[in-house]
Amino acid sequence: MEIQLGDVGHIIQLAIAPVFLLTGVGTNLVVLTNRLSRIIDRSRVLEERIRPGDATDPADSAEINVLYQRGHLINVAITLSTACALLVCLVIATLFMGDAFELNIGKFIAVLFVLGMLSLIGSYFFFMREIFIATKTLTMRRLLLRVR
C-alpha cells in the first residue's frame, strides 16, 4: 500500500479546519487557566485573613465560598476544553490513519467531531456560568460598599 502525494495533500486540506479549531480551543484554555489562577490567588489572600480563633469579616467567608464555587466551574470548563482538544486531535489522526489504511471510518470521525463540539459547548456553558457568578458577586460587593 503506497500513499500518493495527492492523497496526503487532500488529507491535509481536510485537517486544516480541525487544526484551526484546535488553535481556538488552545486560546480558550489560556483564558480559563488565567481566570483559575486569579481565583486561586484571591482565595489564598482571603485564607490568610481567615485564621482559626480570630474574628473574621463575614464578607470574607462569603467571598471565599463564592471563589470555591467559581473555581469548580472553571475547573469543569478546563476539563471539557481539554477533552475537546483531545477529540479534535483524534479526528486529525483518524483522518490520516483512515486514508493511509483505506478504512471507511467517516462516521467514526463524525462522532469524534460531534463529541468534541459538545465538549466545547459544555466548556463555554460553564465558563459563562462562572462569569455570571463573578459579575453577580461584583454587584453585591458594590451594594455592600454603598451601605457601609
mmCIF file with all atom_site columns, all heavy atoms in Angstrom, residues 18-32 77-88 116-117 119-120 123-124:
data_model
loop_
_atom_site.group_PDB
_atom_site.id
_atom_site.type_symbol
_atom_site.label_atom_id
_atom_site.label_alt_id
_atom_site.label_comp_id
_atom_site.label_asym_id
_atom_site.label_entity_id
_atom_site.label_seq_id
_atom_site.pdbx_PDB_ins_code
_atom_site.Cartn_x
_atom_site.Cartn_y
_atom_site.Cartn_z
_atom_site.occupancy
_atom_site.B_iso_or_equiv
_atom_site.pdbx_formal_charge
_atom_site.auth_seq_id
_atom_site.auth_comp_id
_atom_site.auth_asym_id
_atom_site.auth_atom_id
_atom_site.pdbx_PDB_model_num
ATOM 1   N N   . PRO A 1 18  ? -10.028 21.372 11.484 1.00 0.00 ? 18  PRO A N   1
ATOM 2   C CA  . PRO A 1 18  ? -9.832  20.949 12.875 1.00 0.00 ? 18  PRO A CA  1
ATOM 3   C C   . PRO A 1 18  ? -8.590  21.569 13.525 1.00 0.00 ? 18  PRO A C   1
ATOM 4   O O   . PRO A 1 18  ? -8.581  21.840 14.724 1.00 0.00 ? 18  PRO A O   1
ATOM 5   C CB  . PRO A 1 18  ? -9.691  19.425 12.778 1.00 0.00 ? 18  PRO A CB  1
ATOM 6   C CG  . PRO A 1 18  ? -10.385 19.053 11.530 1.00 0.00 ? 18  PRO A CG  1
ATOM 7   C CD  . PRO A 1 18  ? -10.186 20.206 10.605 1.00 0.00 ? 18  PRO A CD  1
ATOM 8   N N   . VAL A 1 19  ? -7.549  21.829 12.732 1.00 0.00 ? 19  VAL A N   1
ATOM 9   C CA  . VAL A 1 19  ? -6.351  22.450 13.301 1.00 0.00 ? 19  VAL A CA  1
ATOM 10  C C   . VAL A 1 19  ? -6.656  23.869 13.742 1.00 0.00 ? 19  VAL A C   1
ATOM 11  O O   . VAL A 1 19  ? -6.228  24.308 14.813 1.00 0.00 ? 19  VAL A O   1
ATOM 12  C CB  . VAL A 1 19  ? -5.179  22.408 12.286 1.00 0.00 ? 19  VAL A CB  1
ATOM 13  C CG1 . VAL A 1 19  ? -4.033  23.298 12.724 1.00 0.00 ? 19  VAL A CG1 1
ATOM 14  C CG2 . VAL A 1 19  ? -4.695  20.977 12.117 1.00 0.00 ? 19  VAL A CG2 1
ATOM 15  N N   . PHE A 1 20  ? -7.425  24.610 12.945 1.00 0.00 ? 20  PHE A N   1
ATOM 16  C CA  . PHE A 1 20  ? -7.827  25.957 13.364 1.00 0.00 ? 20  PHE A CA  1
ATOM 17  C C   . PHE A 1 20  ? -8.698  25.898 14.612 1.00 0.00 ? 20  PHE A C   1
ATOM 18  O O   . PHE A 1 20  ? -8.582  26.735 15.505 1.00 0.00 ? 20  PHE A O   1
ATOM 19  C CB  . PHE A 1 20  ? -8.558  26.698 12.239 1.00 0.00 ? 20  PHE A CB  1
ATOM 20  C CG  . PHE A 1 20  ? -7.643  27.268 11.207 1.00 0.00 ? 20  PHE A CG  1
ATOM 21  C CD1 . PHE A 1 20  ? -7.758  26.896 9.882  1.00 0.00 ? 20  PHE A CD1 1
ATOM 22  C CD2 . PHE A 1 20  ? -6.651  28.181 11.551 1.00 0.00 ? 20  PHE A CD2 1
ATOM 23  C CE1 . PHE A 1 20  ? -6.909  27.419 8.920  1.00 0.00 ? 20  PHE A CE1 1
ATOM 24  C CE2 . PHE A 1 20  ? -5.799  28.716 10.609 1.00 0.00 ? 20  PHE A CE2 1
ATOM 25  C CZ  . PHE A 1 20  ? -5.925  28.333 9.281  1.00 0.00 ? 20  PHE A CZ  1
ATOM 26  N N   . LEU A 1 21  ? -9.574  24.928 14.667 1.00 0.00 ? 21  LEU A N   1
ATOM 27  C CA  . LEU A 1 21  ? -10.394 24.729 15.863 1.00 0.00 ? 21  LEU A CA  1
ATOM 28  C C   . LEU A 1 21  ? -9.507  24.460 17.067 1.00 0.00 ? 21  LEU A C   1
ATOM 29  O O   . LEU A 1 21  ? -9.734  25.006 18.154 1.00 0.00 ? 21  LEU A O   1
ATOM 30  C CB  . LEU A 1 21  ? -11.372 23.573 15.652 1.00 0.00 ? 21  LEU A CB  1
ATOM 31  C CG  . LEU A 1 21  ? -12.209 23.162 16.855 1.00 0.00 ? 21  LEU A CG  1
ATOM 32  C CD1 . LEU A 1 21  ? -13.102 24.306 17.312 1.00 0.00 ? 21  LEU A CD1 1
ATOM 33  C CD2 . LEU A 1 21  ? -13.043 21.941 16.514 1.00 0.00 ? 21  LEU A CD2 1
ATOM 34  N N   . LEU A 1 22  ? -8.497  23.663 16.880 1.00 0.00 ? 22  LEU A N   1
ATOM 35  C CA  . LEU A 1 22  ? -7.559  23.343 17.956 1.00 0.00 ? 22  LEU A CA  1
ATOM 36  C C   . LEU A 1 22  ? -6.858  24.606 18.460 1.00 0.00 ? 22  LEU A C   1
ATOM 37  O O   . LEU A 1 22  ? -6.646  24.768 19.667 1.00 0.00 ? 22  LEU A O   1
ATOM 38  C CB  . LEU A 1 22  ? -6.550  22.320 17.451 1.00 0.00 ? 22  LEU A CB  1
ATOM 39  C CG  . LEU A 1 22  ? -5.777  21.512 18.468 1.00 0.00 ? 22  LEU A CG  1
ATOM 40  C CD1 . LEU A 1 22  ? -6.709  20.795 19.418 1.00 0.00 ? 22  LEU A CD1 1
ATOM 41  C CD2 . LEU A 1 22  ? -4.887  20.514 17.762 1.00 0.00 ? 22  LEU A CD2 1
ATOM 42  N N   . THR A 1 23  ? -6.531  25.516 17.559 1.00 0.00 ? 23  THR A N   1
ATOM 43  C CA  . THR A 1 23  ? -5.922  26.786 17.950 1.00 0.00 ? 23  THR A CA  1
ATOM 44  C C   . THR A 1 23  ? -6.877  27.598 18.820 1.00 0.00 ? 23  THR A C   1
ATOM 45  O O   . THR A 1 23  ? -6.482  28.171 19.839 1.00 0.00 ? 23  THR A O   1
ATOM 46  C CB  . THR A 1 23  ? -5.533  27.596 16.695 1.00 0.00 ? 23  THR A CB  1
ATOM 47  O OG1 . THR A 1 23  ? -4.656  26.822 15.896 1.00 0.00 ? 23  THR A OG1 1
ATOM 48  C CG2 . THR A 1 23  ? -4.867  28.898 17.066 1.00 0.00 ? 23  THR A CG2 1
ATOM 49  N N   . GLY A 1 24  ? -8.133  27.639 18.429 1.00 0.00 ? 24  GLY A N   1
ATOM 50  C CA  . GLY A 1 24  ? -9.138  28.356 19.224 1.00 0.00 ? 24  GLY A CA  1
ATOM 51  C C   . GLY A 1 24  ? -9.338  27.734 20.594 1.00 0.00 ? 24  GLY A C   1
ATOM 52  O O   . GLY A 1 24  ? -9.478  28.439 21.600 1.00 0.00 ? 24  GLY A O   1
ATOM 53  N N   . VAL A 1 25  ? -9.346  26.425 20.650 1.00 0.00 ? 25  VAL A N   1
ATOM 54  C CA  . VAL A 1 25  ? -9.503  25.726 21.932 1.00 0.00 ? 25  VAL A CA  1
ATOM 55  C C   . VAL A 1 25  ? -8.295  26.011 22.833 1.00 0.00 ? 25  VAL A C   1
ATOM 56  O O   . VAL A 1 25  ? -8.444  26.212 24.038 1.00 0.00 ? 25  VAL A O   1
ATOM 57  C CB  . VAL A 1 25  ? -9.702  24.210 21.716 1.00 0.00 ? 25  VAL A CB  1
ATOM 58  C CG1 . VAL A 1 25  ? -9.652  23.445 23.029 1.00 0.00 ? 25  VAL A CG1 1
ATOM 59  C CG2 . VAL A 1 25  ? -11.031 23.940 21.020 1.00 0.00 ? 25  VAL A CG2 1
ATOM 60  N N   . GLY A 1 26  ? -7.113  26.053 22.227 1.00 0.00 ? 26  GLY A N   1
ATOM 61  C CA  . GLY A 1 26  ? -5.911  26.384 22.999 1.00 0.00 ? 26  GLY A CA  1
ATOM 62  C C   . GLY A 1 26  ? -5.992  27.779 23.599 1.00 0.00 ? 26  GLY A C   1
ATOM 63  O O   . GLY A 1 26  ? -5.625  27.996 24.758 1.00 0.00 ? 26  GLY A O   1
ATOM 64  N N   . THR A 1 27  ? -6.481  28.727 22.820 1.00 0.00 ? 27  THR A N   1
ATOM 65  C CA  . THR A 1 27  ? -6.667  30.092 23.327 1.00 0.00 ? 27  THR A CA  1
ATOM 66  C C   . THR A 1 27  ? -7.696  30.109 24.449 1.00 0.00 ? 27  THR A C   1
ATOM 67  O O   . THR A 1 27  ? -7.513  30.800 25.457 1.00 0.00 ? 27  THR A O   1
ATOM 68  C CB  . THR A 1 27  ? -7.106  31.022 22.180 1.00 0.00 ? 27  THR A CB  1
ATOM 69  O OG1 . THR A 1 27  ? -6.143  30.949 21.132 1.00 0.00 ? 27  THR A OG1 1
ATOM 70  C CG2 . THR A 1 27  ? -7.243  32.449 22.661 1.00 0.00 ? 27  THR A CG2 1
ATOM 71  N N   . ASN A 1 28  ? -8.764  29.352 24.278 1.00 0.00 ? 28  ASN A N   1
ATOM 72  C CA  . ASN A 1 28  ? -9.779  29.240 25.323 1.00 0.00 ? 28  ASN A CA  1
ATOM 73  C C   . ASN A 1 28  ? -9.170  28.685 26.610 1.00 0.00 ? 28  ASN A C   1
ATOM 74  O O   . ASN A 1 28  ? -9.459  29.173 27.707 1.00 0.00 ? 28  ASN A O   1
ATOM 75  C CB  . ASN A 1 28  ? -10.920 28.345 24.841 1.00 0.00 ? 28  ASN A CB  1
ATOM 76  C CG  . ASN A 1 28  ? -12.031 28.211 25.842 1.00 0.00 ? 28  ASN A CG  1
ATOM 77  O OD1 . ASN A 1 28  ? -12.429 29.169 26.478 1.00 0.00 ? 28  ASN A OD1 1
ATOM 78  N ND2 . ASN A 1 28  ? -12.538 27.004 25.985 1.00 0.00 ? 28  ASN A ND2 1
ATOM 79  N N   . LEU A 1 29  ? -8.313  27.695 26.486 1.00 0.00 ? 29  LEU A N   1
ATOM 80  C CA  . LEU A 1 29  ? -7.659  27.116 27.668 1.00 0.00 ? 29  LEU A CA  1
ATOM 81  C C   . LEU A 1 29  ? -6.765  28.136 28.368 1.00 0.00 ? 29  LEU A C   1
ATOM 82  O O   . LEU A 1 29  ? -6.690  28.155 29.602 1.00 0.00 ? 29  LEU A O   1
ATOM 83  C CB  . LEU A 1 29  ? -6.852  25.874 27.280 1.00 0.00 ? 29  LEU A CB  1
ATOM 84  C CG  . LEU A 1 29  ? -7.670  24.607 27.090 1.00 0.00 ? 29  LEU A CG  1
ATOM 85  C CD1 . LEU A 1 29  ? -6.841  23.535 26.415 1.00 0.00 ? 29  LEU A CD1 1
ATOM 86  C CD2 . LEU A 1 29  ? -8.210  24.121 28.418 1.00 0.00 ? 29  LEU A CD2 1
ATOM 87  N N   . VAL A 1 30  ? -6.106  28.995 27.603 1.00 0.00 ? 30  VAL A N   1
ATOM 88  C CA  . VAL A 1 30  ? -5.277  30.047 28.212 1.00 0.00 ? 30  VAL A CA  1
ATOM 89  C C   . VAL A 1 30  ? -6.157  30.993 29.031 1.00 0.00 ? 30  VAL A C   1
ATOM 90  O O   . VAL A 1 30  ? -5.826  31.330 30.177 1.00 0.00 ? 30  VAL A O   1
ATOM 91  C CB  . VAL A 1 30  ? -4.485  30.823 27.129 1.00 0.00 ? 30  VAL A CB  1
ATOM 92  C CG1 . VAL A 1 30  ? -3.853  32.077 27.709 1.00 0.00 ? 30  VAL A CG1 1
ATOM 93  C CG2 . VAL A 1 30  ? -3.427  29.941 26.516 1.00 0.00 ? 30  VAL A CG2 1
ATOM 94  N N   . VAL A 1 31  ? -7.284  31.392 28.480 1.00 0.00 ? 31  VAL A N   1
ATOM 95  C CA  . VAL A 1 31  ? -8.207  32.287 29.198 1.00 0.00 ? 31  VAL A CA  1
ATOM 96  C C   . VAL A 1 31  ? -8.705  31.615 30.473 1.00 0.00 ? 31  VAL A C   1
ATOM 97  O O   . VAL A 1 31  ? -8.721  32.224 31.556 1.00 0.00 ? 31  VAL A O   1
ATOM 98  C CB  . VAL A 1 31  ? -9.389  32.690 28.293 1.00 0.00 ? 31  VAL A CB  1
ATOM 99  C CG1 . VAL A 1 31  ? -10.473 33.406 29.081 1.00 0.00 ? 31  VAL A CG1 1
ATOM 100 C CG2 . VAL A 1 31  ? -8.911  33.566 27.143 1.00 0.00 ? 31  VAL A CG2 1
ATOM 101 N N   . LEU A 1 32  ? -9.114  30.369 30.360 1.00 0.00 ? 32  LEU A N   1
ATOM 102 C CA  . LEU A 1 32  ? -9.661  29.660 31.519 1.00 0.00 ? 32  LEU A CA  1
ATOM 103 C C   . LEU A 1 32  ? -8.611  29.472 32.611 1.00 0.00 ? 32  LEU A C   1
ATOM 104 O O   . LEU A 1 32  ? -8.906  29.676 33.799 1.00 0.00 ? 32  LEU A O   1
ATOM 105 C CB  . LEU A 1 32  ? -10.233 28.307 31.090 1.00 0.00 ? 32  LEU A CB  1
ATOM 106 C CG  . LEU A 1 32  ? -11.472 28.347 30.194 1.00 0.00 ? 32  LEU A CG  1
ATOM 107 C CD1 . LEU A 1 32  ? -11.806 26.959 29.672 1.00 0.00 ? 32  LEU A CD1 1
ATOM 108 C CD2 . LEU A 1 32  ? -12.652 28.951 30.924 1.00 0.00 ? 32  LEU A CD2 1
ATOM 109 N N   . ALA A 1 77  ? -14.874 23.609 33.151 1.00 0.00 ? 77  ALA A N   1
ATOM 110 C CA  . ALA A 1 77  ? -14.703 24.189 31.818 1.00 0.00 ? 77  ALA A CA  1
ATOM 111 C C   . ALA A 1 77  ? -13.345 23.799 31.224 1.00 0.00 ? 77  ALA A C   1
ATOM 112 O O   . ALA A 1 77  ? -13.245 23.466 30.032 1.00 0.00 ? 77  ALA A O   1
ATOM 113 C CB  . ALA A 1 77  ? -14.848 25.708 31.871 1.00 0.00 ? 77  ALA A CB  1
ATOM 114 N N   . ILE A 1 78  ? -12.307 23.826 32.045 1.00 0.00 ? 78  ILE A N   1
ATOM 115 C CA  . ILE A 1 78  ? -10.970 23.427 31.573 1.00 0.00 ? 78  ILE A CA  1
ATOM 116 C C   . ILE A 1 78  ? -10.963 21.944 31.180 1.00 0.00 ? 78  ILE A C   1
ATOM 117 O O   . ILE A 1 78  ? -10.396 21.573 30.148 1.00 0.00 ? 78  ILE A O   1
ATOM 118 C CB  . ILE A 1 78  ? -9.909  23.718 32.649 1.00 0.00 ? 78  ILE A CB  1
ATOM 119 C CG1 . ILE A 1 78  ? -9.680  25.222 32.772 1.00 0.00 ? 78  ILE A CG1 1
ATOM 120 C CG2 . ILE A 1 78  ? -8.596  22.999 32.346 1.00 0.00 ? 78  ILE A CG2 1
ATOM 121 C CD1 . ILE A 1 78  ? -8.829  25.628 33.964 1.00 0.00 ? 78  ILE A CD1 1
ATOM 122 N N   . THR A 1 79  ? -11.596 21.118 31.981 1.00 0.00 ? 79  THR A N   1
ATOM 123 C CA  . THR A 1 79  ? -11.662 19.686 31.674 1.00 0.00 ? 79  THR A CA  1
ATOM 124 C C   . THR A 1 79  ? -12.373 19.446 30.348 1.00 0.00 ? 79  THR A C   1
ATOM 125 O O   . THR A 1 79  ? -11.903 18.660 29.512 1.00 0.00 ? 79  THR A O   1
ATOM 126 C CB  . THR A 1 79  ? -12.374 18.934 32.811 1.00 0.00 ? 79  THR A CB  1
ATOM 127 O OG1 . THR A 1 79  ? -11.664 19.154 34.027 1.00 0.00 ? 79  THR A OG1 1
ATOM 128 C CG2 . THR A 1 79  ? -12.472 17.444 32.527 1.00 0.00 ? 79  THR A CG2 1
ATOM 129 N N   . LEU A 1 80  ? -13.486 20.130 30.132 1.00 0.00 ? 80  LEU A N   1
ATOM 130 C CA  . LEU A 1 80  ? -14.232 19.952 28.886 1.00 0.00 ? 80  LEU A CA  1
ATOM 131 C C   . LEU A 1 80  ? -13.465 20.499 27.684 1.00 0.00 ? 80  LEU A C   1
ATOM 132 O O   . LEU A 1 80  ? -13.486 19.902 26.608 1.00 0.00 ? 80  LEU A O   1
ATOM 133 C CB  . LEU A 1 80  ? -15.609 20.610 29.003 1.00 0.00 ? 80  LEU A CB  1
ATOM 134 C CG  . LEU A 1 80  ? -16.597 19.887 29.913 1.00 0.00 ? 80  LEU A CG  1
ATOM 135 C CD1 . LEU A 1 80  ? -17.835 20.736 30.156 1.00 0.00 ? 80  LEU A CD1 1
ATOM 136 C CD2 . LEU A 1 80  ? -16.974 18.538 29.328 1.00 0.00 ? 80  LEU A CD2 1
ATOM 137 N N   . SER A 1 81  ? -12.778 21.613 27.850 1.00 0.00 ? 81  SER A N   1
ATOM 138 C CA  . SER A 1 81  ? -11.975 22.155 26.750 1.00 0.00 ? 81  SER A CA  1
ATOM 139 C C   . SER A 1 81  ? -10.826 21.217 26.409 1.00 0.00 ? 81  SER A C   1
ATOM 140 O O   . SER A 1 81  ? -10.491 21.027 25.234 1.00 0.00 ? 81  SER A O   1
ATOM 141 C CB  . SER A 1 81  ? -11.413 23.533 27.113 1.00 0.00 ? 81  SER A CB  1
ATOM 142 O OG  . SER A 1 81  ? -12.391 24.517 26.958 1.00 0.00 ? 81  SER A OG  1
ATOM 143 N N   . THR A 1 82  ? -10.213 20.646 27.427 1.00 0.00 ? 82  THR A N   1
ATOM 144 C CA  . THR A 1 82  ? -9.129  19.694 27.188 1.00 0.00 ? 82  THR A CA  1
ATOM 145 C C   . THR A 1 82  ? -9.659  18.448 26.483 1.00 0.00 ? 82  THR A C   1
ATOM 146 O O   . THR A 1 82  ? -9.018  17.923 25.558 1.00 0.00 ? 82  THR A O   1
ATOM 147 C CB  . THR A 1 82  ? -8.447  19.318 28.516 1.00 0.00 ? 82  THR A CB  1
ATOM 148 O OG1 . THR A 1 82  ? -7.995  20.516 29.145 1.00 0.00 ? 82  THR A OG1 1
ATOM 149 C CG2 . THR A 1 82  ? -7.275  18.389 28.296 1.00 0.00 ? 82  THR A CG2 1
ATOM 150 N N   . ALA A 1 83  ? -10.830 17.983 26.887 1.00 0.00 ? 83  ALA A N   1
ATOM 151 C CA  . ALA A 1 83  ? -11.446 16.836 26.212 1.00 0.00 ? 83  ALA A CA  1
ATOM 152 C C   . ALA A 1 83  ? -11.723 17.177 24.752 1.00 0.00 ? 83  ALA A C   1
ATOM 153 O O   . ALA A 1 83  ? -11.492 16.341 23.859 1.00 0.00 ? 83  ALA A O   1
ATOM 154 C CB  . ALA A 1 83  ? -12.741 16.434 26.921 1.00 0.00 ? 83  ALA A CB  1
ATOM 155 N N   . CYS A 1 84  ? -12.181 18.388 24.496 1.00 0.00 ? 84  CYS A N   1
ATOM 156 C CA  . CYS A 1 84  ? -12.418 18.827 23.120 1.00 0.00 ? 84  CYS A CA  1
ATOM 157 C C   . CYS A 1 84  ? -11.122 18.795 22.321 1.00 0.00 ? 84  CYS A C   1
ATOM 158 O O   . CYS A 1 84  ? -11.091 18.285 21.192 1.00 0.00 ? 84  CYS A O   1
ATOM 159 C CB  . CYS A 1 84  ? -13.012 20.236 23.109 1.00 0.00 ? 84  CYS A CB  1
ATOM 160 S SG  . CYS A 1 84  ? -13.187 20.923 21.449 1.00 0.00 ? 84  CYS A SG  1
ATOM 161 N N   . ALA A 1 85  ? -10.048 19.328 22.892 1.00 0.00 ? 85  ALA A N   1
ATOM 162 C CA  . ALA A 1 85  ? -8.758  19.339 22.198 1.00 0.00 ? 85  ALA A CA  1
ATOM 163 C C   . ALA A 1 85  ? -8.298  17.911 21.885 1.00 0.00 ? 85  ALA A C   1
ATOM 164 O O   . ALA A 1 85  ? -7.818  17.633 20.774 1.00 0.00 ? 85  ALA A O   1
ATOM 165 C CB  . ALA A 1 85  ? -7.708  20.065 23.037 1.00 0.00 ? 85  ALA A CB  1
ATOM 166 N N   . LEU A 1 86  ? -8.464  17.015 22.839 1.00 0.00 ? 86  LEU A N   1
ATOM 167 C CA  . LEU A 1 86  ? -8.076  15.617 22.615 1.00 0.00 ? 86  LEU A CA  1
ATOM 168 C C   . LEU A 1 86  ? -8.912  14.980 21.502 1.00 0.00 ? 86  LEU A C   1
ATOM 169 O O   . LEU A 1 86  ? -8.382  14.254 20.653 1.00 0.00 ? 86  LEU A O   1
ATOM 170 C CB  . LEU A 1 86  ? -8.197  14.815 23.900 1.00 0.00 ? 86  LEU A CB  1
ATOM 171 C CG  . LEU A 1 86  ? -7.175  15.129 24.988 1.00 0.00 ? 86  LEU A CG  1
ATOM 172 C CD1 . LEU A 1 86  ? -7.541  14.431 26.291 1.00 0.00 ? 86  LEU A CD1 1
ATOM 173 C CD2 . LEU A 1 86  ? -5.790  14.730 24.541 1.00 0.00 ? 86  LEU A CD2 1
ATOM 174 N N   . LEU A 1 87  ? -10.199 15.250 21.505 1.00 0.00 ? 87  LEU A N   1
ATOM 175 C CA  . LEU A 1 87  ? -11.070 14.686 20.473 1.00 0.00 ? 87  LEU A CA  1
ATOM 176 C C   . LEU A 1 87  ? -10.731 15.245 19.089 1.00 0.00 ? 87  LEU A C   1
ATOM 177 O O   . LEU A 1 87  ? -10.740 14.505 18.095 1.00 0.00 ? 87  LEU A O   1
ATOM 178 C CB  . LEU A 1 87  ? -12.536 14.939 20.824 1.00 0.00 ? 87  LEU A CB  1
ATOM 179 C CG  . LEU A 1 87  ? -13.067 14.099 21.991 1.00 0.00 ? 87  LEU A CG  1
ATOM 180 C CD1 . LEU A 1 87  ? -14.380 14.658 22.519 1.00 0.00 ? 87  LEU A CD1 1
ATOM 181 C CD2 . LEU A 1 87  ? -13.227 12.652 21.565 1.00 0.00 ? 87  LEU A CD2 1
ATOM 182 N N   . VAL A 1 88  ? -10.412 16.534 19.025 1.00 0.00 ? 88  VAL A N   1
ATOM 183 C CA  . VAL A 1 88  ? -10.026 17.126 17.741 1.00 0.00 ? 88  VAL A CA  1
ATOM 184 C C   . VAL A 1 88  ? -8.708  16.507 17.260 1.00 0.00 ? 88  VAL A C   1
ATOM 185 O O   . VAL A 1 88  ? -8.549  16.223 16.065 1.00 0.00 ? 88  VAL A O   1
ATOM 186 C CB  . VAL A 1 88  ? -9.945  18.662 17.844 1.00 0.00 ? 88  VAL A CB  1
ATOM 187 C CG1 . VAL A 1 88  ? -9.315  19.264 16.599 1.00 0.00 ? 88  VAL A CG1 1
ATOM 188 C CG2 . VAL A 1 88  ? -11.328 19.252 18.068 1.00 0.00 ? 88  VAL A CG2 1
ATOM 189 N N   . GLY A 1 116 ? -16.431 16.334 20.280 1.00 0.00 ? 116 GLY A N   1
ATOM 190 C CA  . GLY A 1 116 ? -15.565 17.484 20.538 1.00 0.00 ? 116 GLY A CA  1
ATOM 191 C C   . GLY A 1 116 ? -16.356 18.777 20.622 1.00 0.00 ? 116 GLY A C   1
ATOM 192 O O   . GLY A 1 116 ? -16.120 19.601 21.507 1.00 0.00 ? 116 GLY A O   1
ATOM 193 N N   . MET A 1 117 ? -17.302 18.938 19.714 1.00 0.00 ? 117 MET A N   1
ATOM 194 C CA  . MET A 1 117 ? -18.126 20.159 19.726 1.00 0.00 ? 117 MET A CA  1
ATOM 195 C C   . MET A 1 117 ? -19.005 20.214 20.977 1.00 0.00 ? 117 MET A C   1
ATOM 196 O O   . MET A 1 117 ? -19.172 21.283 21.574 1.00 0.00 ? 117 MET A O   1
ATOM 197 C CB  . MET A 1 117 ? -19.017 20.226 18.481 1.00 0.00 ? 117 MET A CB  1
ATOM 198 C CG  . MET A 1 117 ? -18.278 20.515 17.204 1.00 0.00 ? 117 MET A CG  1
ATOM 199 S SD  . MET A 1 117 ? -17.472 22.136 17.220 1.00 0.00 ? 117 MET A SD  1
ATOM 200 C CE  . MET A 1 117 ? -15.862 21.746 17.834 1.00 0.00 ? 117 MET A CE  1
ATOM 201 N N   . SER A 1 119 ? -18.257 18.920 23.832 1.00 0.00 ? 119 SER A N   1
ATOM 202 C CA  . SER A 1 119 ? -17.345 19.261 24.931 1.00 0.00 ? 119 SER A CA  1
ATOM 203 C C   . SER A 1 119 ? -17.059 20.755 24.948 1.00 0.00 ? 119 SER A C   1
ATOM 204 O O   . SER A 1 119 ? -17.038 21.383 26.009 1.00 0.00 ? 119 SER A O   1
ATOM 205 C CB  . SER A 1 119 ? -16.022 18.497 24.801 1.00 0.00 ? 119 SER A CB  1
ATOM 206 O OG  . SER A 1 119 ? -16.232 17.127 24.944 1.00 0.00 ? 119 SER A OG  1
ATOM 207 N N   . LEU A 1 120 ? -16.854 21.327 23.773 1.00 0.00 ? 120 LEU A N   1
ATOM 208 C CA  . LEU A 1 120 ? -16.579 22.763 23.693 1.00 0.00 ? 120 LEU A CA  1
ATOM 209 C C   . LEU A 1 120 ? -17.795 23.582 24.115 1.00 0.00 ? 120 LEU A C   1
ATOM 210 O O   . LEU A 1 120 ? -17.662 24.572 24.843 1.00 0.00 ? 120 LEU A O   1
ATOM 211 C CB  . LEU A 1 120 ? -16.149 23.137 22.272 1.00 0.00 ? 120 LEU A CB  1
ATOM 212 C CG  . LEU A 1 120 ? -15.639 24.553 22.075 1.00 0.00 ? 120 LEU A CG  1
ATOM 213 C CD1 . LEU A 1 120 ? -14.417 24.821 22.959 1.00 0.00 ? 120 LEU A CD1 1
ATOM 214 C CD2 . LEU A 1 120 ? -15.298 24.795 20.614 1.00 0.00 ? 120 LEU A CD2 1
ATOM 215 N N   . SER A 1 123 ? -17.961 23.443 27.805 1.00 0.00 ? 123 SER A N   1
ATOM 216 C CA  . SER A 1 123 ? -16.919 24.294 28.377 1.00 0.00 ? 123 SER A CA  1
ATOM 217 C C   . SER A 1 123 ? -17.367 25.748 28.395 1.00 0.00 ? 123 SER A C   1
ATOM 218 O O   . SER A 1 123 ? -17.226 26.446 29.410 1.00 0.00 ? 123 SER A O   1
ATOM 219 C CB  . SER A 1 123 ? -15.626 24.155 27.575 1.00 0.00 ? 123 SER A CB  1
ATOM 220 O OG  . SER A 1 123 ? -14.674 25.099 28.003 1.00 0.00 ? 123 SER A OG  1
ATOM 221 N N   . TYR A 1 124 ? -17.904 26.198 27.265 1.00 0.00 ? 124 TYR A N   1
ATOM 222 C CA  . TYR A 1 124 ? -18.383 27.584 27.209 1.00 0.00 ? 124 TYR A CA  1
ATOM 223 C C   . TYR A 1 124 ? -19.573 27.812 28.140 1.00 0.00 ? 124 TYR A C   1
ATOM 224 O O   . TYR A 1 124 ? -19.729 28.890 28.707 1.00 0.00 ? 124 TYR A O   1
ATOM 225 C CB  . TYR A 1 124 ? -18.740 27.978 25.782 1.00 0.00 ? 124 TYR A CB  1
ATOM 226 C CG  . TYR A 1 124 ? -17.529 28.285 24.937 1.00 0.00 ? 124 TYR A CG  1
ATOM 227 C CD1 . TYR A 1 124 ? -17.356 27.693 23.699 1.00 0.00 ? 124 TYR A CD1 1
ATOM 228 C CD2 . TYR A 1 124 ? -16.547 29.165 25.384 1.00 0.00 ? 124 TYR A CD2 1
ATOM 229 C CE1 . TYR A 1 124 ? -16.240 27.973 22.930 1.00 0.00 ? 124 TYR A CE1 1
ATOM 230 C CE2 . TYR A 1 124 ? -15.430 29.444 24.625 1.00 0.00 ? 124 TYR A CE2 1
ATOM 231 C CZ  . TYR A 1 124 ? -15.286 28.852 23.401 1.00 0.00 ? 124 TYR A CZ  1
ATOM 232 O OH  . TYR A 1 124 ? -14.185 29.130 22.640 1.00 0.00 ? 124 TYR A OH  1
#
